[in-house]
Structure formats: structure tokens, C-alpha cells
Amino acid sequence: MSTSGPAARTYLVRLGGEVTTKSRRVRQRFQQKLVQNLRDALTAHQVPFRHVENQWSRLLVRGDDSTAGVLRRVFGVQSFSPIEGFAPCQLEQIVRVGTELYHARVQGRRYAVRAHRSGGCSLSAQRVNETLGAALNPGAKVDLDHPDITVHVLMTPQGAMFYHQVIPGPGGLPVGVQGKAVALISGGFDSAVAAWHVLRRGVELHYVFFNLAGAAYQRLVVSVAKVLSDLWSYGYRPELHVVDFEPVVRALRSDVNPKYVQVVLKRLMYRAGCQVAREIDAQALVTGEALGQVSSQTLKNLAAIQPAADLLVLRPLVGLDKEDIIAQSRQVGTYALSCKVQEYCALVPEKPVTAARIEAVDNEEGKLPPGLLAPLVAQRRVLDLRSLDISELVVESIYIDHIPPGAEVVDCRPEYQYEAWHYPGAVNLPLEELIDRFKHLDRQRTYVLYCPFGLQSAAVAEKMQQAGYEAYSFRGGTAALRRWMQQQGIPQDDPLLPDPRD
Ligand code: ATP
Ligand code: MG
């Protein structure tokens, strides 16, 4: 048996103990799913030489050096070993190849040989241990209890395979064997880690994000979901459902007692999440709630939020400390992005209720306009995370074709152009000045920048977005802005002046 090409490598992949103790039928299903997920993972990461062979008690994956990085991320893989050599299942051949492979490597170290028999090979494992063990001497010391290096020989009907490393995989169950759920994802440490735990237990996960804070926030959350999708979700195409919740925030602010805003908001998230879940035939919601972590997550508040869900709610982090969750987010790969998300403080009332009574919450929720959620859920955007290119999202969300109410308009042109004409109420911060100073601007506001063509201001808007601001560039620059003003009937103080670009 040999692999093709210099970088080709074969890996022996072991399944988790939980899978191997299942009934034959269940095990077959799990194992087939793992094979399918591994193929999908290798394809998604463009690993060449791929071939996954299902050998019942183990899988053999033929790939190259980069395959190991993929195997670490496919749930259901308990551990794996790069195969260092093959030999026919005969004692002399095993000893010859084993010596060639490991003689130099065991010198001066304590070592052990461990042969394992699998299926029709008649050779005794003990004989292989003794004979190969002796052949690797002299100059090395056999130590079966605390070896520095263990030479493994797996003897199968197809031949013997040699390896010495056993690399841990992520464990868990193959994604997809436990059905489908919807994770409410806010981009913070908790919801991403919660999603990871549920994926790890074999659930096909899709995401719902309620946008409360504009495009820059959305981009970060999409990036977090993309990490979960690209690094941990194989065998299916994860979707991110983006629901515009700004109308909900406005209604909460105007109709609901501020003390109850957080709890009612969570209820609305549960309701909308369940609606999406039902539409895509998912059986549960997943949240990043941890008991007592923030004021809306006291036992009483969780109990007051719970009735809004008519599906099972999974809270995998319920008993974890924040420090542990943050440490896990590094392993998941979402830590850096979630750090940025923390800077968004969307909606924190001064003194939120910590022991909400269900009737009081019902009463507050009842003050909201009926039918508030349905159109927002119906108009949600569904993103295919696998094919999504984050940079496309940047371009799409940098430009704007109107001035939203309450936005701060920034004229990024030189002062003399500003003096000649500017959007009513715009402040003048020429580009270099804006680049130096935007970090001092109020983070709670929305900014629309304009310059002659809208291109340089787009570059600054992008920097501002990366720093967590909601900032846009007016598409098409001053000429387009003037046309838009005309359409809107906004008076221009010098309509006869030539376009400042001329
Ligand atoms: P996280 O750390 O996950 O951002 P949090 O500590 O900010 O959460 P909460 O705001 O109380 O805590 O949110 C609790 C859970 O509710 C989150 O873990 C997430 O599952 C869900 N959630 C909160 N905000 C949103 C949102 N904007 N979109 C989708 N789900 C959300
Ligand atoms: Mg939290």
C-alpha cells in the first residue's frame, strides 16, 4: 500500500467511544455521516488527494500534510494518527519496516512497541511487540510504563500500519446525527461558544441574528457565524437569518417600562427565533445564556422569558463561568471578533428588573403593537455562510443612498469646497483630519460621509466600521447627494453654483 505524490499522507481516524458503543444500525448511520462530513470538510478546505475509506472500526483518510488541520475540526473524530509506513502482515516484514522507520528515532530514549490486531491477521501481537521491540535495541531502553515514544503497529487483513502519534480530534458526534436547531447569535463570547457545544453534539445548526445596532455590528456578527460555519460545520450548508430588530427597539423604547425592556426583548427574540426554526423544520433554539451572568439571566428572569418559546430551548453554557467561556472562545476561533462585539452596548436600561414576574412581563409585552414581529421575520435576509465572502459584505454595507434620520453628516472635502456648498447641518472634517479624529466621535450615532466621488470617504467609512462605528459613504459623492436632496425636496442654498467637482 502506498500513497501518491511526495506530500501524500494516510491518516488513521478513530471514532469516539460513544459512537462505538451504539447499536450496529445506529453506529452505521453515525459512521456514514462522519465519512460524508469528512469528505465535505476536505473539499471545503481544498485538500488534495482526498479519499475516505470506511473500515467499520476506523476510517482511513488519504490526504496530505494539510489534512491534519481539517481532522482537528470535524466533530466525531476522537483522535487520529498519521501513518508512517506499511508492511505485509508477516513478522519479518513488520520487523524490517519497523526497524527502518524507528531505529534512529528511539535511540537514547525510552520506548515501547504496541501491536494491535484487527480482523483476519493471524500474527500474535505479543510476538510483534517482543520481536520488533528487541530489534530496535541496542542503544535504547524499553519502558512500557513511561515511554518517550510508543511505536504502534496496527495489523489488519490488508496489512500492517505503523504510527507513533495519536493526535486528539474535537470529539463529539458527527454533525447532523442529532437533527436540526437554530442558534440565536449575538456575536458575543457566549452565543458563539454555545453554538459550538451544540454543533459538537451532532446538531445541524443554523443561526438567527437580530440586528439592533446597524451595519457595522452586523458585519461582525456575520464574521463570527462565518467562523463557526467554515471551521466547524461540515456536511450541510449553514444559514444565517438576519432579522432587522430596529423597529422592535423603537417600539420597546416608546411603549415598554424601561425596567422590563431587556426581558421583553429576549421574549421577542425567542418568539421570532421559534418562528424561523419552525419554517426550516428545526427542533430547538440554542442561546448563550448562563445563569446569573447578566441581569436578564437570573433564574426568575429566565423563567419569565421561557414561556415565549414553544420549542425546546438549549442553554449549553448555563453552569459555566464567564472566564471559562472566554477561554473556550479562543479554541473555537471567535475570541478576537467577540472582543469587538463587546464594544456594542445596544440597549441597556439603567436599572433592569432582576426578578420579573411573568404577569408583569406579559403586561409589558402586551403594550407593543400586535403583529410587530411577523413582517420583520418574513422580510429577513438569509445568508449562505459557506459561500459568503465577507469582503463583499463590506462593500455592500459601506455605501448608502440616503441620509437616515438623526445621522451626522460629515463633509470630507477641503474647507474651501465646504464653504462654497455643503449639506445643511453637515460638519466639515477633511479626510486626514477625520482619520485622525474619528475615534473621538460619539459611538452611538450614525455617520454619513461624503466627498466628491464617494470613494475616499468610503475608505474612511470602512476604517470607522472596523473600529465599531456605524459609518457609511454616500454612493456617488456630492453630485448624487445633490440629486437625492432634490428628489427629497430639501432646499439647497446655492442650487446655481456649479458642482464643486467641476
Ligand atoms: P452574548 O455574549 O452571546 O453576546 P450576552 O452576554 O450579551 O450574550 P444577552 O444579551 O442576555 O447576553 O443574550 C443572551 C442570549 O440571547 C445570547 O447568548 C444569544 O443567544 C441571544 N441574543 C442576545 N442578543 C441577540 C441578538 N442581537 N441576536 C440574536 N440572539 C441574541
Ligand atoms: Mg452572555
Side-chain angles (χ1 to χ4, degrees), residues 375-395:
L376 302 176
V377 175
Q379 286 158 24
R380 70 187 185 271
R381 278 181 71 198
V382 183
L383 307 176
D384 172 41
L385 287 168
R386 191 67 84 73
S387 62
L388 187 83
D389 181 349
I390 300 275
S391 63
E392 277 172 25
L393 207 73
V394 173
V395 173

Side-chain angles (χ1 to χ4, degrees), residues 186 188-191 288-290 293-294 297 317 322 325 342:
S186 52
F189 298 108
D190 305 303
S191 47
E289 287 153 333
Q293 191 192 76
V294 291
Q297 295 168 17
L317 308 185
K322 191 77 185 185
I325 297 168
Q342 293 305 299

Side-chain angles (χ1 to χ4, degrees), residues 220-241:
L220 279 175
V221 178
V222 173
S223 308
V224 170
K226 180 98 178 129
V227 169
L228 290 164
S229 156
D230 289 4
L231 298 188
W232 302 104
S233 308
Y234 303 111
Y236 75 105
R237 307 278 297 206
E239 291 172 352
L240 172 65
H241 297 247

